[in-house]
Amino acid sequence: MNSSEAHSDVIIIGAGLSGMPLCRHPTAVKIKNAAFEIFDKGNEIGGTWSENTYPNLSCDIPSQLYSYSFAPNPEWSMTYTSQPEILAYIKRVAHTIQSRIHLNQECVSARWLEDQDLWRVEFLDRTTNDTFVRHSRVLFTAAGFLDIPKGPKSIANIQEFGGRIFHSSHWDHEVDFGGKDVVVVGNGASANQLVPWLLKNTGLRSLVQVVRSAQWIAPKDNQPIRKAQKWVLRNIPFTNRLYRWWLAMKLDLAFVAFKDSTLGRHVRSMLEASLVSYMEKTAPSQYHSILVPSYAFGAKRAILDHGYLSLDNPKAKLIKSQNLTVVGTNQIAGENGIVYPADLIILANGFKTAQLLTPMAITGLDGLNLRDLWERGSDGARAYMGVMVSGFPNLFLLTGPNTLPSGHSTLLGIENSVTYILRLLEPLLSSEGTSKKPHSSTIEVKKDAEDAFNRFVERRMKGLVYTSNVSTWYIDQRTGRNHLVWPGSQLEFWWSRCVEVIRWADFVLSKKKTT
């Protein structure tokens, strides 16, 4: 097919957990005439769960909340399931839409064609290095928050390092750790999972764990799910949905701990006392001053303990250092000047979360560039309801600004955003006879509506524990704004997206016909 003729009703960028709901969601099924197509740069389905394959990786949300409402899974093996099991689940769900998924296709750019009411989307075929163009009435971005790994910026003279170096998200399964001196940079969720595995399974000679900032670490009660429970969830109608609802409500009740209120401060003080007791009881005493945070619980995402705190292994040493320096072919020094041997450096230092969507160039009305708007604008990344940006008609974001929940399942939030977006899309993708809303060709959020929504977000954010004084991947260091977290409970998020009447006055709906 000639690229100028290739056309889809809806193009979705991303084949991970975010993109799947669009094709299988009950509202999407109702839009019978629309063709949904998924394009992904990876060589397999799964997004972050196919790219991140480091040992001991599992989710930090109960497994039942890590499945879709329209595809419940009664067969999870553990309370917190592992990466291979999550990936297998995603592939099973994707199997029903296999013909609509195109892999190894990287979105390079997308440009709105105002005279045609179409998105012109350019792709790079990563198997042939050829580029091609598709046109679409509607464009979705389903790129995750944790997509672009940080590099070794904090390591001076890294070009002089003579050993191996890789990021945890690009795990080298061929490397032989036996008899090697290993340095792990970072002490967040990834390091918490892979460090215990390295010490237990690899036969390494030494491991230096570089702690950059303290983390609140909670015990992880990961138990096998009993056969009887699986049988009930599999065979008794509605039990899986009820169980999911009960788990969701339990997590939502904990949202009070994120509030800067009298009750919130009281709950946090009890949580902090309990976690300090656990951390000091579990970790060697010489590391207490490095590991125990001085900031309030909730200001950074808490981490579940995968055995990380049991650091009494003679091969392991924790050091606190913001920056490192390569001082020899296989030597590295911390800020205090002490030199450590290093045959391998593993970067577990997180992702560039400030670069939401910006690896691809997205151009809207009047040449407005989303990358410039978010990375150079005074407000940073922001959107209306987290899903639409003024000046970009028919563009929808599945993991947009201020949609990440506090201590809850991201997957539930994504499904709620999908429900809201599909409610907006019915006038565009349904025929006039099947939609109760006026038929239209484009939908664009008004600038004043977007501004008003973000003023609401900022007001609500001031009542939470998050602060730019605590370094966290939630905060855009350039603007000081928390550009990722939704400043409310997941129940509020669900209500505002799935139940509340849509404010159609906040949008401009055009009836111009697509060519």
Side-chain angles (χ1 to χ4, degrees):
M1 179 181 289
N2 185 283
S3 64
S4 63
E5 298 174 352
H7 176 278
S8 300
D9 287 314
V10 178
I11 283 179
I12 305 162
I13 309 299
L17 282 169
S18 304
M20 296 297 115
L22 277 165
C23 299
R24 291 291 313 279
H25 194 278
T27 307
V29 174
K30 287 197 301 182
I31 306 175
K32 297 178 181 178
N33 297 324
F36 291 76
E37 287 195 273
I38 297 176
F39 292 81
D40 192 272
K41 65 182 180 181
N43 57 14
E44 70 171 336
I45 293 161
T48 188
W49 292 102
S50 65
E51 292 184 9
N52 288 266
T53 60
Y54 59 82
N56 210 27
L57 172 57
S58 64
C59 62
D60 60 358
I61 292 294
S63 303
Q64 291 298 332
L65 294 181
Y66 229 79
S67 55
Y68 301 115
S69 63
F70 55 84
N73 180 23
E75 306 298 336
W76 295 121
S77 64
M78 303 290 291
T79 308
Y80 299 92
T81 197
S82 65
Q83 176 267 339
E85 202 169 346
I86 294 171
L87 183 58
Y89 169 76
I90 297 171
K91 290 180 176 179
R92 287 199 301 273
V93 174
H95 180 73
T96 59
I97 52 174
Q98 188 68 43
S99 61
R100 301 175 185 174
I101 299 176
H102 311 280
L103 299 175
N104 291 301
Q105 312 297 314
E106 182 175 0
C107 179
V108 177
S109 66
R111 181 164 56 88
W112 176 250
L113 305 178
E114 191 171 356
D115 58 335
Q116 299 180 53
D117 285 352
L118 292 173
W119 279 100
R120 180 188 184 276
V121 189
E122 183 177 357
F123 292 95
L124 170 68
D125 187 323
R126 300 179 73 174
T127 60
T128 65
N129 286 326
D130 294 331
T131 59
F132 64 96
V133 171
R134 295 293 296 265
H135 292 86
S136 176
R137 295 178 61 192
V138 178
L139 179 63
F140 279 87
T141 65
F145 294 109
L146 308 179
D147 188 48
I148 307 172
K150 290 181 179 178
K153 185 178 179 181
S154 62
I155 307 177
N157 303 330
I158 189 61
Q159 69 279 0
E160 297 178 10
F161 182 61
R164 301 278 294 277
I165 181 169
F166 57 87
H167 195 275
S168 60
S169 63
H170 296 149
W171 190 265
D172 187 348
H173 290 276
E174 302 300 320
V175 68
D176 179 12
F177 292 95
K180 300 290 195 309
D181 296 306
V182 180
V183 174
V184 177
V185 181
N187 61 308
S190 298
N192 190 284
Q193 296 175 89
L194 64 90
V195 164
W197 181 89
L198 286 170
L199 290 171
K200 184 178 180 181
N201 297 287
T202 63
L204 52 72
R205 180 163 51 200
S206 70
L207 185 143
V208 174
Q209 165 71 62
V210 183
V211 174
R212 297 183 300 166
S213 61
Q215 311 278 354
W216 285 110
I217 301 176
K220 185 174 186 176
D221 185 21
N222 196 15
Q223 300 294 327
I225 295 178
R226 293 172 296 175
K227 290 182 179 179
Q229 181 177 335
K230 291 182 184 181
W231 187 92
V232 169
L233 296 176
R234 188 188 312 118
N235 294 287
I236 300 180
F238 305 113
T239 53
N240 210 321
R241 289 184 179 275
L242 288 171
Y243 185 43
R244 281 167 51 85
W245 179 86
W246 178 72
L247 287 172
M249 289 301 100
K250 278 181 63 179
L251 291 183
D252 229 21
L253 289 173
F255 178 69
V256 67
F258 296 89
K259 293 185 175 181
D260 188 19
S261 62
T262 302
L263 178 59
R265 288 188 288 271
H266 176 66
V267 171
R268 280 197 301 278
S269 67
M270 291 192 297
L271 280 171
E272 289 168 8
S274 175
L275 294 182
V276 168
S277 175
Y278 169 75
M279 294 173 70
E280 291 185 343
K281 179 181 178 180
T282 310
S285 58
Q286 67 265 33
Y287 297 137
H288 291 177
S289 61
I290 297 176
L291 290 170
V292 178
S294 58
Y295 57 84
F297 174 86
K300 298 177 71 168
R301 188 177 178 92
I303 295 171
L304 297 182
D305 186 16
H306 295 75
Y308 173 80
L309 290 177
S310 301
L311 290 163
D312 50 0
N313 190 310
K315 295 181 179 180
K317 183 175 183 60
L318 261 67
I319 66 168
K320 187 168 185 178
S321 184
Q322 286 291 325
N323 300 293
L324 300 167
T325 303
V326 173
V327 294
T329 304
N330 293 93
Q331 290 182 314
I332 198 164
E335 289 175 335
N336 59 6
I338 298 177
V339 177
Y340 303 95
D343 298 311
L344 287 153
I345 297 177
I346 300 173
L347 300 175
N349 56 349
F351 298 82
K352 298 178 181 179
T353 55
Q355 296 185 3
L356 287 169
L357 309 182
T358 52
M360 63 189 84
I362 301 178
T363 306
L365 295 172
D366 302 320
L368 186 62
N369 184 280
L370 191 61
R371 180 183 298 165
D372 291 341
L373 184 67
W374 281 2
E375 292 189 358
R376 297 186 180 90
S378 59
D379 296 317
R382 48 185 256 161
Y384 177 85
M385 301 288 277
V387 302
M388 289 198 80
V389 181
S390 178
F392 295 85
N394 290 13
L395 173 69
F396 297 91
L397 321 174
L398 285 184
T399 49
N402 298 112
T403 58
L404 190 70
S406 295
H408 214 294
S409 172
T410 306
L411 196 56
L412 296 187
I414 290 170
E415 277 205 54
N416 293 334
S417 291
V418 166
T419 298
Y420 180 73
I421 293 169
L422 290 172
R423 291 170 69 196
L424 294 176
L425 274 179
E426 281 198 77
L428 276 74
L429 298 181
S430 299
S431 65
E432 291 188 62
T434 59
S435 175
K436 296 181 182 180
K437 302 294 185 302
H439 185 64
S440 60
S441 176
T442 66
I443 182 170
E444 180 194 357
V445 68
K446 296 176 181 177
K447 183 67 167 63
D448 58 350
E450 180 185 308
D451 291 341
F453 175 78
N454 281 278
R455 286 194 296 270
F456 159 78
V457 168
E458 287 299 303
R459 286 197 304 271
R460 289 290 300 270
M461 201 68 74
K462 291 177 181 177
L464 300 183
V465 70
Y466 303 109
T467 169
S468 58
N469 295 326
V470 178
S471 178
T472 170
W473 53 275
Y474 298 150
I475 305 290
D476 183 347
Q477 298 302 316
R478 185 179 66 84
T479 64
R481 288 186 66 245
N482 189 324
H483 66 302
L484 290 181
V485 170
W486 162 248
S489 68
Q490 192 73 327
L491 182 64
E492 291 175 287
F493 194 87
W494 166 78
W495 180 268
S496 63
R497 270 65 176 175
C498 304
V499 179
E500 214 168 57
V501 175
I502 292 175
R503 300 177 184 177
W504 290 103
D506 289 349
F507 303 92
V508 176
L509 278 75
S510 168
K511 295 185 180 181
K512 186 168 62 174
K513 298 297 181 181
T514 302
T515 57

